[in-house]
C-alpha cells in the first residue's frame, strides 16, 4: 500500500487537532499505548479496578468490548472445535470466518489496552446447546446484535475521535455478522435487518453499557459493574 | 426501535428531552415543532426538532449540516435505486423481492429522517444516472434495470460505499451526540444491507483484503484501502487474511464523491 494512501486512512487525519491541550492529551494516551512498560500506575488514566468497568474515560468502552469479544471468542472456538452436526453447507466456513474476525478484534483490544486491561470473567455457556445448530446460531446472533447496539450506543460517550473511528471499524463487521446469522436462521426473509432491530426511521439499536452487560450477564460468571457514567 | 426503547437506551437523550419538557412547562420559548414532537411522544420527531431548534439558534455547526447533506445525497441515491429496481418488471426474482423491499424501506426512512433533521437546510435530490454514465444514460451499467446481475452488482457497490462513507464522517458529528448516534445507527443498518446483498450474490458478507470480488474494475475505488491494518496508532500484526476482513475502513468525503460522481447528473455536489 503506498504511503500516501495509508496517510489518508489514518483516523487521526479525520479531525484536526485543534488545541495544545488536545494534542497533549492524545500524546499521553499514545505514549501509554506504545510503551506500556513505562506506564506504572493504571490509575493515571482512571483505568478500571477489580471487576469494574470505569467509563470515566474511553478505556471503559474498550474494556467492555474486551469482555464481550473474549466471551465471543471462547464461544466460537468451542463451536468450531465441535460444530453441531446439523449445520448446513457453507455454514461452518461462515462461523470460522466470524471466529477469526472476533479473534482479531480481541487482539487489537488487548494491545490497545495494554496494562489497562481488566480481568475478563469466566464464561457460562450452560444456556447453549452446542449440539444444536439453532441454539448455536441464536446465541451467535445475540452476541452480534448486542455488539452492534453496544458500539452504536457508545457513540454517546466516546471521547477520542480515534476510538470512535475504531468503534466504527468494528461495528460494521459485527453488523455483517449479525445480518448473516439472521439470514442463516431465517433464509430469504427480511430478518437480516428485521423490524425487531431496525426501527421505523431505519435506525439500528443503540444501548447503554449497563444494558449491554445486562443482556450478556447470563453468559458471564460474576459480571463486572459499570461505574463512572 | 420504538420511541420508548430509544429513551431507555439513551438516558442522556431522555434527560435532554425532559429538560425541554420542563422548559415547555415553564413557558420557555420553544418552537412548536419540539412541543408537537414531545406531545406525540415521538422521539425521532422531537429529536429532529431539537436539532432544528439548535440550528435556528445558530447552534448546529455548518460542518454537521454538511455531513448530513452528504449522507442525504447518498441516501437519495440508494432510495431511488431500490424503488426503481422494484418497479422494473421482471428484474428482481420473486424470492429476493422481500429482502430488497426491506432495504428499500430503510433507505426511504433514512431520506425522511435526514430531511426532517436538516429541515430547510436539506439539499434537493439530484438527478441520477444509474448506468454510471455521467448523465448519458449509457454508462458501464447500462442494463442496470433490465439485468438482475447488474442490478445487484450496483447494489453491492452502493452498500459497501455507504458503510465506508458513514464511517468516515462519524468523527465530525461528535459535537452533537444525538445526531452522531443516529448516524451510527444508520451506519450499522447499511452494513446489514451490504452483508445481505453480498450473500445474495454468493460473496462473503465481509470484505476480504481490498478485493472487489466479481465486481468490474471500475468499482475498485470502493475497496481500495480496506486492507489497512493500521488502527489508531497500532499496526495489527500480520496473521493471514482474516486480519483484513475483521476491520471495515473509512473513506473520506472526497473519495466517496469521486466514487458516486458518475451516477449523479451534473457531477457530485
Amino acid at each position: 500500500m503506498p504511503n500516501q494512501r495509508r496517510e489518508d486512512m489514518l483516523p487521526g487525519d479525520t479531525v484536526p487537532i485543534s488545541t495544545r491541550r488536545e494534542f497533549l492529551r492524545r500524546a499521553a494516551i499514545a505514549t501509554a499505548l506504545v510503551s506500556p512498560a513505562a506506564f506504572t500506575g493504571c490509575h493515571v488514566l482512571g483505568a478500571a479496578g477489580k471487576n469494574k468497568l470505569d467509563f470515566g474515560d474511553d478505556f471503559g468502552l474498550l474494556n467492555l468490548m474486551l469482555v464481550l469479544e473474549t466471551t465471543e471468542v471462547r464461544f466460537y472456538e468451542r463451536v468450531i472445535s465441535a460444530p453441531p452436526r446439523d449445520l448446513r453447507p457453507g455454514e461452518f466456513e461462515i462461523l470460522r470466518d466470524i471466529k477469526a474476525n472476533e479473534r482479531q478484534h480481541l487482539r487489537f483490544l488487548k494491545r490497545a489496552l495494554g496494562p489497562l486491561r481488566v480481568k475478563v470473567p469466566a464464561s457460562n455457556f450452560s444456556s447453549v446447546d452446542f449440539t444444536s445448530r439453532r441454539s448455536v446460531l441464536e446465541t451467535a446472533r445475540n452476541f452480534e446484535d448486542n455488539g452492534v447496539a453496544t458500539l452504536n450506543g457508545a457513540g454517546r460517550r466516546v471521547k477520542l475521535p480515534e476510538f470512535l473511528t475504531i468503534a466504527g471499524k468494528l461495528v460494521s463487521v459485527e453488523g455483517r455478522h449479525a445480518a448473516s446469522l439472521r439470514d442463516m436462521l431465517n433464509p430469504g426473509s427480511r430478518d437480516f435487518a428485521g423490524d425487531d432491530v431496525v426501527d421505523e426511521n431505519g435506525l439500528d439499536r443503540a444501548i447503554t453499557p449497563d444494558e449491554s452487560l445486562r443482556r450478556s450477564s447470563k453468559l458471564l460468571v460474576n459480571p463486572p459493574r459499570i461505574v463512572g457514567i | 426501535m420504538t420511541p420508548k426503547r430509544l429513551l431507555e437506551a439513551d438516558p442522556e437523550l431522555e434527560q435532554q428531552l425532559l429538560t425541554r419538557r420542563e422548559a415547555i412547562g415553564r413557558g420557555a420559548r420553544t418552537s412548536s415543532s419540539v412541543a408537537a414532537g414531545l406531545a406525540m411522544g415521538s422521539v425521532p420527531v422531537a429529536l429532529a426538532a431539537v436539532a432544528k431548534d439548535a440550528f435556528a439558534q445558530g447552534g448546529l455547526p455548518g460542518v454537521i449540516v454538511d455531513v448530513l447533506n452528504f449522507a442525504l445525497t447518498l441516501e437519495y441515491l440508494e432510495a431511488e435505486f431500490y424503488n426503481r429496481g422494484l418497479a422494473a418488471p421482471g428484474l428482481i426474482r420473486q424470492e429476493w423481492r422481500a429482502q430488497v423491499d426491506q432495504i428499500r424501506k430503510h433507505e426511504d426512512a433514512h431520506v425522511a429522517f435526514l430531511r426532517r433533521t436538516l429541515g430547510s437546510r436539506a439539499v434537493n435530490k439530484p438527478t441520477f444516472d444509474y448506468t454510471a454514465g455521467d448523465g448519458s444514460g449509457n454508462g458501464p451499467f447500462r442494463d442496470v434495470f433490465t439485468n438482475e446481475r447488474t442490478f445487484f452488482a450496483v447494489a453491492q457497490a452502493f452498500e459497501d460505499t455507504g458503510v465506508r462513507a458513514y464511517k468516515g464522517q462519524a468523527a465530525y458529528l461528535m459535537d452533537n451526540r444525538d445526531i452522531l448516534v443516529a448516524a451510527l445507527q444508520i451506519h450499522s443498518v447499511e452494513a446489514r444491507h451490504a452483508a445481505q446483498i453480498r450473500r445474495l450474490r454468493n460473496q462473503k458478507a465481509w470484505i476480504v483484503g481490498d478485493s472487489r470480488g466479481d465486481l468490474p474494475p471500475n468499482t475498485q475505488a470502493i475497496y481500495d484501502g480496506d486492507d489497512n491494518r493500521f488502527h489508531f496508532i497500532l499496526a495489527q500484526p500480520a496473521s493471514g487474511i482474516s486480519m483484513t476482513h475483521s476491520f471495515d475502513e473509512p473513506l473520506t468525503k472526497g473519495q466517496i464523491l469521486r466514487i458516486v460522481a458518475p451516477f449523479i447528473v451534473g457531477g457530485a455536489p
Side-chain angles (χ1 to χ4, degrees), chain A residues 1 5-6 8-11 13-16 29-30 33-34 94 97-98 100-101 104-105 107-108 111-112 145 148 151-166 168-173 175-180 182-184 188-190 192-208, chain B residues 1 3 5 8-13 44 95 98-99 101-103 105-106 109-110 113 116 160 163-164 167 170-172 174 177-178 180-182 184-189 191-196 198-199 204-207 210 224-225 227-228 230-239 242-243 245-252 255:
Chain A
M1 187 165 58
R5 193 199 294 163
R6 185 196 302 167
D8 281 344
M9 301 308 299
L10 278 176
D13 267 359
T14 56
V15 169
I29 291 173
L33 294 178
V34 170
I94 290 171
D97 268 10
I98 296 177
N101 291 164
Q104 291 291 342
H105 295 170
R107 222 164 143 202
F108 169 78
R111 296 181 69 231
D145 279 340
V148 169
L151 285 167
N152 282 345
R156 194 159 292 287
R157 48 185 56 80
V158 67
K159 293 182 178 69
L160 279 182
E162 288 84 352
F163 286 151
L164 178 64
T165 301
I166 288 293
K169 292 182 183 203
L170 300 183
V171 68
S172 52
V173 174
R176 291 173 191 267
H177 295 167
S180 305
R182 288 171 151 268
D183 190 53
M184 286 151 74
S189 72
R190 296 171 183 254
F192 64 95
D195 294 349
D196 58 326
V197 279
V198 183
D199 72 8
E200 66 278 8
N201 287 299
L203 306 184
D204 215 321
R205 289 189 339 217
I207 60 177
T208 63
Chain B
M1 179 159 56
R5 271 167 59 205
E8 282 167 2
D10 295 323
E12 286 175 41
L13 171 59
E95 59 266 37
Q99 297 165 74
D101 186 62
Q102 186 75 352
I103 297 176
K105 184 172 83 176
H106 295 156
H110 294 163
F113 180 81
R116 269 205 314 279
D160 280 335
V163 173
R164 298 191 73 177
K167 204 186 311 296
Y172 294 105
M174 290 181 83
R177 295 305 173 116
D178 295 335
L180 170 61
V181 171
L184 293 174
Q185 290 173 287
I186 294 177
H187 169 245
S188 61
V189 170
R192 289 176 189 269
H193 295 170
Q196 190 60 20
R198 294 174 67 95
R199 281 171 57 75
K204 278 183 194 274
W206 23 93
I207 300 167
D210 60 356
D224 279 348
D227 55 350
N228 173 53
F230 293 86
H231 309 296
F232 188 27
I233 54 167
L234 298 171
Q236 193 83 339
S239 68
S242 72
M243 173 182 71
H245 60 67
S246 304
F247 297 86
D248 277 340
E249 296 295 327
L251 286 177
T252 65
Q255 288 168 318

Side-chain angles (χ1 to χ4, degrees), chain A residues 84-88 91 129-138 183-187:
Chain A
R85 291 205 181 147
D86 54 345
L87 282 185
R88 295 176 190 166
E91 291 184 334
D129 177 358
F130 282 91
T131 67
S132 154
R133 170 185 180 274
R134 176 155 294 273
S135 176
V136 162
L137 293 185
E138 284 177 351
D183 190 53
M184 286 151 74
L185 280 160
N186 195 2

Side-chain angles (χ1 to χ4, degrees), chain B:
Chain B
M1 179 159 56
T2 65
K4 187 164 171 292
R5 271 167 59 205
L6 180 63
L7 281 181
E8 282 167 2
D10 295 323
E12 286 175 41
L13 171 59
E14 184 176 28
Q15 199 171 11
Q16 183 181 349
L17 293 175
L18 286 176
T19 307
R20 288 266 163 189
R21 201 174 279 145
E22 285 161 18
I24 296 164
R26 289 199 307 271
R29 196 170 62 83
T30 305
S31 81
S32 57
S33 54
V34 172
L38 290 171
M40 286 156 54
S42 160
V43 169
V45 171
L47 179 62
V50 167
K52 226 157 68 178
D53 257 23
F55 182 76
Q57 293 156 14
L60 193 63
V63 65
I64 290 185
V65 172
D66 287 349
V67 169
L68 295 182
N69 270 324
F70 169 58
L72 177 59
T73 300
L74 298 178
E75 298 290 354
Y76 281 140
L77 176 73
E78 290 183 312
E80 184 179 318
F81 174 73
Y82 290 110
N83 278 290
R84 285 179 64 176
L86 285 161
L91 174 66
I92 301 169
R93 72 188 72 177
Q94 192 55 40
E95 59 266 37
W96 289 359
R97 287 186 68 85
Q99 297 165 74
V100 174
D101 186 62
Q102 186 75 352
I103 297 176
R104 190 266 325 148
K105 184 172 83 176
H106 295 156
E107 309 301 6
D108 281 346
H110 294 163
V111 166
F113 180 81
L114 291 169
R115 283 186 58 91
R116 269 205 314 279
T117 303
L118 282 158
S120 61
R121 300 301 300 259
V123 292
N124 291 324
K125 185 165 79 167
T127 304
F128 295 118
D129 173 1
Y130 288 102
T131 73
D134 295 307
S136 70
N138 196 29
F141 302 116
R142 62 182 63 82
D143 59 352
V144 63
F145 293 123
T146 53
N147 181 333
E148 189 187 49
R149 244 183 101 72
T150 307
F151 178 81
F152 280 93
V154 174
Q156 180 185 322
F158 285 165
E159 297 295 346
D160 280 335
T161 300
V163 173
R164 298 191 73 177
Y166 274 95
K167 204 186 311 296
Q169 296 304 304
Y172 294 105
L173 300 175
M174 290 181 83
D175 286 343
N176 187 318
R177 295 305 173 116
D178 295 335
I179 289 175
L180 170 61
V181 171
L184 293 174
Q185 290 173 287
I186 294 177
H187 169 245
S188 61
V189 170
E190 300 293 339
R192 289 176 189 269
H193 295 170
Q196 190 60 20
I197 295 287
R198 294 174 67 95
R199 281 171 57 75
L200 290 177
R201 302 185 66 255
N202 284 320
Q203 308 284 308
K204 278 183 194 274
W206 23 93
I207 300 167
V208 179
D210 60 356
S211 169
R212 64 176 187 272
D214 64 352
L215 292 184
N218 62 352
T219 64
Q220 184 54 44
I222 298 168
Y223 299 96
D224 279 348
D226 212 63
D227 55 350
N228 173 53
R229 56 184 193 89
F230 293 86
H231 309 296
F232 188 27
I233 54 167
L234 298 171
Q236 193 83 339
S239 68
I241 196 71
S242 72
M243 173 182 71
T244 66
H245 60 67
S246 304
F247 297 86
D248 277 340
E249 296 295 327
L251 286 177
T252 65
K253 185 176 176 180
Q255 288 168 318
I256 297 289
L257 289 177
R258 280 194 291 280
I259 289 167
V260 298
F263 295 96
I264 300 176
V265 177

Side-chain angles (χ1 to χ4, degrees), chain A residues 116-127:
Chain A
L116 304 180
R117 180 164 25 131
V118 295
K119 190 172 182 305
V120 177
S123 308
N124 170 12
F125 296 130
S126 61
S127 59

